């Protein structure tokens, strides 16, 4: 039996952590460095999926390429180069789609083939296009001596022709960028956009069966609006009508900052969005379609001062918005194939007296480029890699996961709250005398420029997370220990989605294999009026559960409900403020049976259960 000692991180705080028992002043986190975690069979953290830039090799200044890609281990990325029939050869303009000739298009493609491009990360690149190039559909015409193609048929021919560019076929083809945001301004409908996706994907797959085609790059996923009508009319409808043709589904997740407030998507809200997409894809396609988060991070409301002159604190808002969501994506490696933070290289195209907020490099008046604070995001994640390690936190506002490679263990934390959070960390199965060094790497802000620091420490008994901080503790052992066990994590969704709940309640069932059970967690997606303060009443096999009502992340007291840049419809969008998020509840193993019944209700109001998911972990020992 392995020797067991505890490395304790204990901090005394004058304040009490939000949502925690007042008898405890610290978040309890337990790490088992010799126990691997496999999410539906996936056990390795792949940096290229998450540590990447929303750009491509050609658009990074040459003097910084070695540092970004080689020293920091960053990958690409995403680019807008899939389809823009807006040049002289095509004889059209993407803002006003019209007739162009097949002959001119073929000439254009020959020019592209002759030039060639250095993307370096071809298999990881997401390539997309501006949707205005193709709508209204009826105006899109490709002429040829034999037959003129009109509408979607012409669009299909255009995309299939673009696939002859070798760099495109190796990565992810996201047909359009955020088309549902601009359906009215493009004089089209969501249904037409979905039809275009379905038929174009079929046409591409017919000639290029191995190309990964997906979409819809759905922005502003306020799915709960108008009793989930936004979901039903857009992403829900997309999965029903085009999902089987897609190789992946894509969505964009942003927190939006104003001058005096912010609408946060990290935490419970992002979990609810991702769970609903996962569950619907399983319902329609019988599989969990791979997911691509092709943009995420922070946005700044147009017309506000926060979007104007550059200031360092804005870089911090972006980094925190990225880190807080990335922690969630990293723990879905069995579904999320790629997640690209909206941190770009340069923006020489940006026509504004103010600098583009989202770039690593600012162009200088006397030539050349200057690094912004956003580079600290990539410097923070330098060298972090390995297999997933079993880690548990008792506080929904403290995200945590751990990795281990050879003799190093990386314990990662992210504070979703805007207040300090003291830690109580227990590290099992490691002998203190066998640890050669302990480093603490931190990324935080004290209201000004982002601060990145790393220190060797002897005493880790006094650590507190700053508001919104991300931290990594690096434990290096003198020798490499072998893995002792694996926790296999699986998930099961109930077939009923978006179910109305009131005081009468709704019954859900699930099965559990209780042998070698490490944990069972109920992930309950809920939508309710913000004015309804109560949490759902949950009864498991006849016994009411007492659970922490604190949701993951910020309280949803303000949410952005309109679509950026979109024309408002004649009937104004509903402006109700709803909570939409996931409650994660550890289920007591003593109450579990092979077949379990859960009843969910509201005592004093009504709402929706969007998804009912049970996540189970089963432990198995490894023979060394």
């Amino acid at each position: 039996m392995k020797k067991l000692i505890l490395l304790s991180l204990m901090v005394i705080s004058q304040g009490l952590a939000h949502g925690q028992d007042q008898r405890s002043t610290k978040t309890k986190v337990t790490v088992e460095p010799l126990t691997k975690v496999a999410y539906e069979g996936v056990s390795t953290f792949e940096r290229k999926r998450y540590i990447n830039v929303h750009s491509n090799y050609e658009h990074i200044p040459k003097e910084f390429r070695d540092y970004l890609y080689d020293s920091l281990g960053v990958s690409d990325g995403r680019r807008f180069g899939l389809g823009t029939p807006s040049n002289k050869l095509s004889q059209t303009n993407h803002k006003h789609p019209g007739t162009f000739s097949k002959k001119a298009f073929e000439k254009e493609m020959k020019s592209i083939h002759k030039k060639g491009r250095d993307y370096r990360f071809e298999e990881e690149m997401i390539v997309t296009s501006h949707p205005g190039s193709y709508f209204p559909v009826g105006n899109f015409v490709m002429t040829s001596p034999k037959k003129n193609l009109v509408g979607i048929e012409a669009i299909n021919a255009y995309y299939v022709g673009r696939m002859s560019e070798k760099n495109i076929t190796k990565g992810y083809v996201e047909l359009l960028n955020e088309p549902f945001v601009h359906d009215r301004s493009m004089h089209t409908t969501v249904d037409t956009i979905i039809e275009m996706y379905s038929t174009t994907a079929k046409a591409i797959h017919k000639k290029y069966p191995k190309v990964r085609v997906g979409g819809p790059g759905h922005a502003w996923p306020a799915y709960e609006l108008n009793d989930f009508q936004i979901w039903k009319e857009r992403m829900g409808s997309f999965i029903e009508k085009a999902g089987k043709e897609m190789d992946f589904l894509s969505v964009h997740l942003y927190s939006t900052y104003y001058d005096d407030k912010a609408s946060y998507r990290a935490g419970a809200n992002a979990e609810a969005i991702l769970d609903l997409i996962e569950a619907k894809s399983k319902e329609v396609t019988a599989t969990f379609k791979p997911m691509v988060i092709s943009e995420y991070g922070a946005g700044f409301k147009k017309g506000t001062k926060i979007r104007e002159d550059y200031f360092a604190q804005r870089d911090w808002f972006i980094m925190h918005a990225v880190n807080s969501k990335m922690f969630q994506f990293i723990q879905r490696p069995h579904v999320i194939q790629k997640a690209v933070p909206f941190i770009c290289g340069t923006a020489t195209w940006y026509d504004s007296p103010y600098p583009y907020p989202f770039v690593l490099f600012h162009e200088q008046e006397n030539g050349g480029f200057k690094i912004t604070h956003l580079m600290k995001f990539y410097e923070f994640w330098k060298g972090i890699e390995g297999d997933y390690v079993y880690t548990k936190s008792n506080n929904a506002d403290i995200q945590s996961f751990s990795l281990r490679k050879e003799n190093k263990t990386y314990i990662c934390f992210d504070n979703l709250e805007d207040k300090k959070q003291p830690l109580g960390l227990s590290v099992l199965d490691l002998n203190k005398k066998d640890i050669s060094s302990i480093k603490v790497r931190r990324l935080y802000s004290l209201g000004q420029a982002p601060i990145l620091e790393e220190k060797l420490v002897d005493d880790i008994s006094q650590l507190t997370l700053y508001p919104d901080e991300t931290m990594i503790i690096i434990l290096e052992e003198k020798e490499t220990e072998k893995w002792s066990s694996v926790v296999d994590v699986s998930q099961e969704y109930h077939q009923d989605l978006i179910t109305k709940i009131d005081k009468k309640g709704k019954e859900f069932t699930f099965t559990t294999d209780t042998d070698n059970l490490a944990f069972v967690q109920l992930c309950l997606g809920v939508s309710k009026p913000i004015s309804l303060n109560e949490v759902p009443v949950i009864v498991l096999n006849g016994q009411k559960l007492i659970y922490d009502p604190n949701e993951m992340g910020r309280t949803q007291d303000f949410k952005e409900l309109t679509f950026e840049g979109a024309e408002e419809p004649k009937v104004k969008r509903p402006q109700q403020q709803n909570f939409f998020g996931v409650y994660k509840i550890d289920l007591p193993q003593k109450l579990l049976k092979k077949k379990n019944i859960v009843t969910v209700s509201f005592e004093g109001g009504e709402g929706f259960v969007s998804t009912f998911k049970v996540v189970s972990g089963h432990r198995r020992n490894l023979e060394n």
Side-chain angles (χ1 to χ4, degrees):
M1 188 174 187
K2 291 191 176 291
K3 188 173 182 180
L4 172 66
I5 70 168
L6 304 181
L7 295 173
S8 296
L9 293 173
M10 298 182 180
V11 179
I12 298 175
S13 174
Q14 295 179 352
L16 296 176
H18 174 69
Q20 290 186 306
D21 191 315
Q22 293 188 5
R23 293 169 296 179
S24 174
T25 61
K26 60 182 178 296
T27 294
K28 295 180 180 179
V29 179
T30 302
V31 182
E32 300 182 28
L34 303 185
T35 299
K36 186 185 298 188
V37 176
Y39 297 92
E40 300 282 2
V42 180
S43 60
T44 301
F45 169 71
E46 294 191 42
R47 283 181 58 88
K48 62 186 179 182
R49 290 190 183 187
Y50 311 101
I51 313 302
N52 47 63
V53 62
H54 194 279
S55 184
N56 62 277
Y57 189 77
E58 284 187 331
H59 292 157
I60 299 297
K62 291 181 179 179
E63 62 268 31
F64 296 108
R65 289 177 184 173
D66 289 346
Y67 181 61
L68 182 68
Y69 292 111
D70 299 326
S71 297
L72 300 183
V74 177
S75 300
D76 287 340
R78 186 170 180 252
R79 66 182 177 91
F80 285 78
L82 171 57
T84 50
S86 58
N87 49 67
K88 294 180 181 179
L89 285 175
S90 295
Q91 301 172 353
T92 185
N93 186 301
H94 77 278
K95 293 183 179 180
H96 304 283
T99 301
F100 69 101
S101 71
K102 183 179 180 181
K103 183 178 180 181
F105 176 56
E106 290 173 346
K107 183 179 179 181
E108 177 189 3
M109 293 308 299
K110 286 181 180 179
S111 175
I112 290 175
H113 296 154
K114 185 177 181 180
K115 179 182 178 182
R117 294 174 179 174
D118 182 10
Y119 292 122
R120 186 170 178 178
F121 298 94
E122 294 176 347
E123 295 182 0
E124 291 305 311
M125 180 64 69
I126 303 167
V127 59
T128 190
S129 63
H130 295 288
S133 302
Y134 309 101
F135 300 96
V137 165
N139 292 357
F140 197 85
V141 180
M142 180 183 288
T143 63
S144 70
K146 295 182 179 180
K147 181 184 179 182
N148 292 341
L149 303 179
V150 179
I152 289 179
E153 191 178 14
I155 294 172
N156 294 349
Y158 181 87
Y159 273 109
V160 171
R162 288 291 307 181
M163 291 303 107
S164 65
E165 183 182 347
K166 65 177 182 178
N167 305 91
I168 289 177
T169 59
K170 295 181 180 181
Y172 300 87
V173 174
E174 185 182 40
L175 293 175
L176 302 174
N177 177 59
E178 301 185 347
F180 296 161
V181 173
H182 305 291
D183 55 316
R184 292 180 301 280
S185 62
M186 295 186 302
H187 306 288
T188 189
T189 66
V190 170
D191 285 343
T192 300
I193 294 169
I194 294 173
E195 180 188 1
M196 174 247 155
Y197 264 95
S198 180
T199 59
T200 302
K202 286 180 183 178
I204 293 173
H205 283 141
K206 185 176 181 180
K207 186 167 183 179
Y208 300 94
K210 294 183 179 180
V211 173
R212 291 175 287 184
V213 182
H218 192 194
W220 302 88
Y223 293 150
E224 74 279 12
L225 285 187
N226 198 17
D227 293 343
F228 286 93
Q229 280 303 116
I230 293 294
W231 161 262
K232 293 173 183 176
E233 294 171 0
R234 294 171 185 264
M235 182 60 97
S237 179
F238 180 88
I239 295 172
E240 288 175 355
K241 297 175 182 178
K244 292 182 179 179
E245 303 301 328
M246 296 296 107
D247 296 301
F248 63 88
L249 300 170
S250 61
V251 66
H252 295 173
L253 295 173
Y254 281 97
S255 298
T256 305
Y257 287 80
Y258 292 64
D259 290 332
D260 58 347
K261 57 190 174 183
S263 174
Y264 295 96
R265 284 225 180 274
N269 184 242
E271 290 291 302
I273 291 167
L274 296 175
D275 277 0
L276 190 53
I277 295 172
E278 278 188 17
K280 187 66 175 181
S281 74
K282 183 66 180 291
E283 175 192 282
V284 173
T285 70
T287 63
F288 292 115
K289 282 284 181 180
M291 204 180 303
V292 169
I293 316 298
S294 48
E295 288 184 27
Y296 74 96
F300 302 100
K301 187 68 175 178
K302 288 182 178 178
T304 58
K305 292 187 179 300
I306 196 172
R307 194 179 170 96
E308 296 177 354
D309 286 333
Y310 173 77
F311 61 102
Q313 179 72 352
R314 189 171 64 187
D315 283 355
W316 166 246
F317 293 152
I318 293 172
M319 282 188 284
H320 170 62
V322 169
N323 268 330
S324 57
K325 298 176 186 67
M326 189 174 76
F327 265 66
Q328 297 177 256
F329 305 152
I330 284 173
Q331 296 177 80
R332 294 176 182 251
H334 55 299
V335 175
I336 294 181
Q337 299 296 301
K338 187 82 173 177
V340 182
F342 197 71
I343 299 177
C344 307
T346 60
T348 54
W349 51 269
Y350 190 56
D351 185 15
S352 171
Y354 307 112
Y356 196 57
F358 312 99
V359 293
L360 288 170
F361 310 102
H362 279 163
E363 194 171 12
Q364 301 298 289
E365 291 183 1
N366 59 351
F369 292 87
K370 180 182 179 181
I371 294 177
T372 69
H373 287 286
L374 290 179
M375 186 64 75
K376 292 177 181 177
F377 169 77
Y378 298 106
E379 292 169 338
F380 177 78
W381 288 103
K382 179 180 179 180
I384 307 303
E385 55 188 337
D387 291 329
Y388 289 97
V389 166
Y390 188 53
T391 306
K392 292 285 288 183
S393 169
N394 74 336
N395 183 352
D397 292 323
I398 300 300
Q399 298 191 88
S400 60
F401 72 91
S402 303
L403 303 171
R404 180 179 177 84
K405 184 170 183 181
E406 297 174 349
N407 67 329
K408 289 185 179 180
T409 299
Y410 306 96
I411 306 172
C412 308
F413 299 101
D414 181 71
N415 186 2
L416 287 169
E417 278 285 5
D418 58 350
K419 60 188 69 176
K420 290 183 178 181
Q421 297 276 11
L423 294 174
L425 173 63
S426 296
V427 181
L428 310 182
D429 296 333
L430 289 185
N431 195 321
K432 190 172 183 179
K433 67 181 177 64
D434 293 330
I435 296 175
S436 60
S437 69
I438 303 173
K439 296 177 184 177
V440 177
R441 187 183 296 179
R442 315 184 69 151
L443 184 60
Y444 61 95
S445 171
L446 299 178
Q448 297 178 342
I451 298 170
L452 172 63
E453 62 183 28
E454 178 175 302
K455 294 181 180 179
L456 273 170
V457 297
D458 295 320
D459 179 13
I460 54 174
S461 63
Q462 299 292 323
L463 283 179
T464 295
L465 288 167
Y466 288 112
D468 298 329
E469 179 181 4
T470 309
M471 175 192 290
I472 302 173
I473 298 172
I474 305 171
L475 301 178
E476 185 170 357
E477 303 161 51
K478 296 174 183 176
E479 296 181 359
T480 301
E481 292 278 356
K482 294 182 179 179
W483 295 103
S484 61
S485 61
V486 177
V487 173
D488 294 305
V489 178
S490 60
Q491 61 183 22
E492 176 188 347
Y493 283 94
H494 194 276
Q495 62 185 7
D496 292 341
L497 305 180
I498 310 178
T499 304
K500 195 76 172 283
I501 299 294
D502 55 22
K503 63 182 179 180
K504 294 180 180 179
K506 164 70 178 177
E507 189 174 280
F508 299 88
T509 61
F510 69 95
T511 59
T512 301
D513 178 2
T514 57
D515 292 340
N516 303 315
L517 195 60
F519 72 92
V520 176
Q521 187 177 67
L522 170 62
C523 299
L524 191 69
V526 172
S527 175
K528 63 177 183 177
I530 285 181
S531 58
L532 181 61
N533 292 324
E534 68 176 82
V535 297
V537 176
I538 301 173
V539 178
L540 170 62
N541 293 330
Q543 184 162 330
K544 182 178 177 180
L545 299 182
I546 305 299
Y547 63 96
D548 188 346
N550 176 36
E551 67 263 21
M552 182 182 178
R554 299 285 209 279
T555 300
Q556 295 179 29
D557 54 357
F558 169 74
K559 295 172 73 177
E560 174 60 62
L561 300 179
T562 58
F563 291 171
E564 187 78 68
E567 295 178 359
E568 287 296 322
K570 293 180 180 179
V571 179
K572 195 173 182 180
R573 295 183 184 279
Q575 294 294 299
Q576 79 272 25
Q577 293 287 315
N578 285 353
F579 169 87
F580 181 41
V582 167
Y583 290 103
K584 295 187 176 184
I585 303 154
D586 290 326
L587 300 181
Q589 293 190 30
K590 63 182 180 180
L591 297 181
L592 294 173
K593 305 175 182 179
K594 184 174 182 180
K595 183 176 181 180
N596 302 277
I597 300 174
V598 174
T599 302
V600 183
S601 63
F602 283 114
E603 288 184 343
E606 59 181 29
F608 291 89
V609 169
S610 55
T611 52
F612 183 100
K613 179 173 75 171
V614 176
V615 180
S616 303
H618 290 83
R619 188 185 298 269
R620 56 187 170 90
N621 293 327
L622 296 175
E623 294 183 6
N624 294 321

